[in-house]
């Protein structure tokens, strides 16, 4: 009887200590993981720190993503433009250059043509029409988040003005204006690879045309879901709300 009781007692203490041991082990493991992460994040320097800019090289494709229509006064749908932007971002990734992104992107021409804007733009210049139907890029995409995959800056940023100034000073030693040169050549030819800035004049109708090897699956570096997943925080929150409302609505039926 006594043995029996003693046995069950030791079993009870054993089962009481083992969760504590498990907990201690878990806490230790988590602490170690945090330590490793914090060490990693301090050793990898912040890509937006001023020192980093000195080492950056840039790729510029122009100030508008797609420019269809005689005077760029119309714009393609968002899907089309995202394909074009992705094509440019892939080149930047391939060349390991910071991509200089247009600070505005034209969207929703159909709504604008049908809507209130239609009357007031009757006499507007194509420039005004474009401005009226375009959105600030950083209201559409989370530029910082995008930069974690491909460093990007906007073409209205201080950094870009600084690059322009520097490349002007350096002249041909700082910038190359290219059209129809393959990205492989841009990477391998030392004439291009060391330059501060590569200014590619992309296909005026659609940047997407620069990615002719789209059918070659191994040439695709960014998935179709990349840009949608980089939507600006506000848009993501809004989408979340719409989704939530939609589910609530469905649930209430
Ligand atoms: C548009 O231009 C025409 C001719 O130049 C002018 O008569 C008209 O008042 C203008 N309309 C607006 C809304 O500015
Ligand atoms: C890029 O090249 C085009 C065509 O040569 C030129 O019109 C444009 O001004 C250049 N832009 C920059 C920033 O160098
Ligand atoms: C497909 O792309 C890969 C990577 O860029 C390249 O090495 C390969 O030669 C391409 N194949 C064809 C058929 O173009």
């Amino acid at each position: 009887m006594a043995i029996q009781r003693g046995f069950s007692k030791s079993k009870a203490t054993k089962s009481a200590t083992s969760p504590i041991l498990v907990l201690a082990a878990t806490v230790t493991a988590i602490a170690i993981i945090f330590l490793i992460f914090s060490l990693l994040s301090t050793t990898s320097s912040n890509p937006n720190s001023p020192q980093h800019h000195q080492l950056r090289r840039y790729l510029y494709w122009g100030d508008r993503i797609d420019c269809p229509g005689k005077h760029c006064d119309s714009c393609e749908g968002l899907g089309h433009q995202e394909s074009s932007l992705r094509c440019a971002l892939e080149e930047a990734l391939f060349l390991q250059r910071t991509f200089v992104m247009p600070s505005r992107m034209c969207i929703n021409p159909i709504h604008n043509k049908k809507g209130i804007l239609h009357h007031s733009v009757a006499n507007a210049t194509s420039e005004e029409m474009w401005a009226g139907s375009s959105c600030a890029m950083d209201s559409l995409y989370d530029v910082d988040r995008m930069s974690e995959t491909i460093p990007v800056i906007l073409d209205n940023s201080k950094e870009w003005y600084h690059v322009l100034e520097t490349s002007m000073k350096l002249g041909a030693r700082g910038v190359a204006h290219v059209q129809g040169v393959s990205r492989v050549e841009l990477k391998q030819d030392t004439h291009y690879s060391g330059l501060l800035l590569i200014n590619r004049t992309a296909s005026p109708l659609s940047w997407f045309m620069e990615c002719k090897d789209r059918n070659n699956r191994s040439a695709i570096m960014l998935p179709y879901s990349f840009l949608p997943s980089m939507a600006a925080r506000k848009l993501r929150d809004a989408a979340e709300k719409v989704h939530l409302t939609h589910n609530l609505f469905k649930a209430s039926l």
Side-chain angles (χ1 to χ4, degrees):
M1 216 30 201
I3 292 164
Q4 185 75 15
R5 205 185 291 147
F7 176 73
S8 61
K9 196 182 167 194
S10 82
K11 198 184 169 191
T13 47
K14 199 179 165 197
S15 60
T17 53
S18 57
I20 292 171
L21 273 178
V22 169
L23 189 68
T26 312
V27 168
T28 314
I30 290 171
I32 289 169
I33 289 167
F34 265 97
L35 190 68
I36 290 168
F37 266 95
S38 64
L39 282 176
L40 280 179
S41 61
T42 46
T43 46
S44 69
S45 58
N46 174 9
N48 284 322
S49 70
Q51 301 97 293
H52 212 94
H53 293 175
Q54 312 292 318
L55 308 167
R56 282 186 170 187
R57 288 166 305 136
Y58 301 81
L59 176 68
Y60 178 68
W61 274 34
D63 62 352
R64 285 183 192 178
I65 289 184
D66 287 343
C67 210
K70 214 171 182 179
H71 306 288
C72 302
D73 46 4
S74 61
C75 60
E76 296 286 356
L78 187 60
H80 206 104
Q81 293 189 82
E82 283 199 337
S83 290
S84 285
L85 179 56
R86 208 173 51 235
C87 172
L89 290 171
E90 280 182 343
E91 180 162 293
L93 200 59
F94 181 76
L95 299 177
Q96 292 173 295
R97 284 175 175 268
T98 297
F99 187 66
V100 185
M101 226 169 30
S103 51
R104 299 189 74 80
M105 186 161 89
C106 169
I107 58 168
N108 270 340
I110 297 150
H111 292 276
N112 291 345
K113 273 182 197 140
K114 282 183 186 159
I116 22 168
L117 268 174
H118 185 63
H119 305 284
S120 54
V121 295
N123 280 358
T125 65
S126 64
E127 193 65 35
E128 283 165 344
M129 271 169 73
W130 192 86
S133 55
S134 70
C135 282
M137 198 61 115
D138 54 4
S139 71
L140 296 170
Y141 298 106
D142 187 334
V143 175
D144 290 336
R145 194 147 171 257
M146 213 186 266
S147 293
E148 290 168 15
T149 308
I150 308 137
V152 289
I153 60 166
L154 294 173
D155 70 358
N156 61 355
S157 64
K158 261 194 195 153
E159 189 177 338
W160 174 234
Y161 294 129
H162 183 71
V163 171
L164 281 178
E165 215 175 294
T166 314
S167 69
M168 251 182 261
K169 274 185 210 147
L170 292 170
R173 287 177 298 128
V175 55
H177 306 281
V178 303
Q179 188 165 10
V181 179
S182 80
R183 58 183 62 171
V184 174
E185 197 175 332
L186 289 180
K187 187 171 187 165
Q188 288 169 356
D189 189 333
T190 49
H191 171 66
Y192 297 118
S193 57
L195 295 175
L196 174 69
L197 173 63
I198 287 177
N199 171 20
R200 177 188 284 289
T201 304
S203 166
L205 277 182
S206 170
W207 282 8
F208 176 69
M209 305 291 277
E210 304 292 333
C211 286
K212 291 182 198 81
D213 53 358
R214 271 263 144 214
N215 294 325
N216 177 357
R217 297 209 119 255
S218 60
I220 295 173
M221 300 169 81
L222 290 171
Y224 285 91
S225 59
F226 178 73
L227 283 168
S229 73
M230 292 294 144
R233 165 123 244 143
K234 268 190 198 161
L235 295 182
R236 273 186 284 145
D237 289 349
E240 190 74 15
K241 272 186 203 131
V242 169
H243 188 71
L244 202 70
T245 317
H246 184 75
N247 284 350
L248 282 174
F249 178 69
K250 270 203 306 199
S252 71
L253 287 179

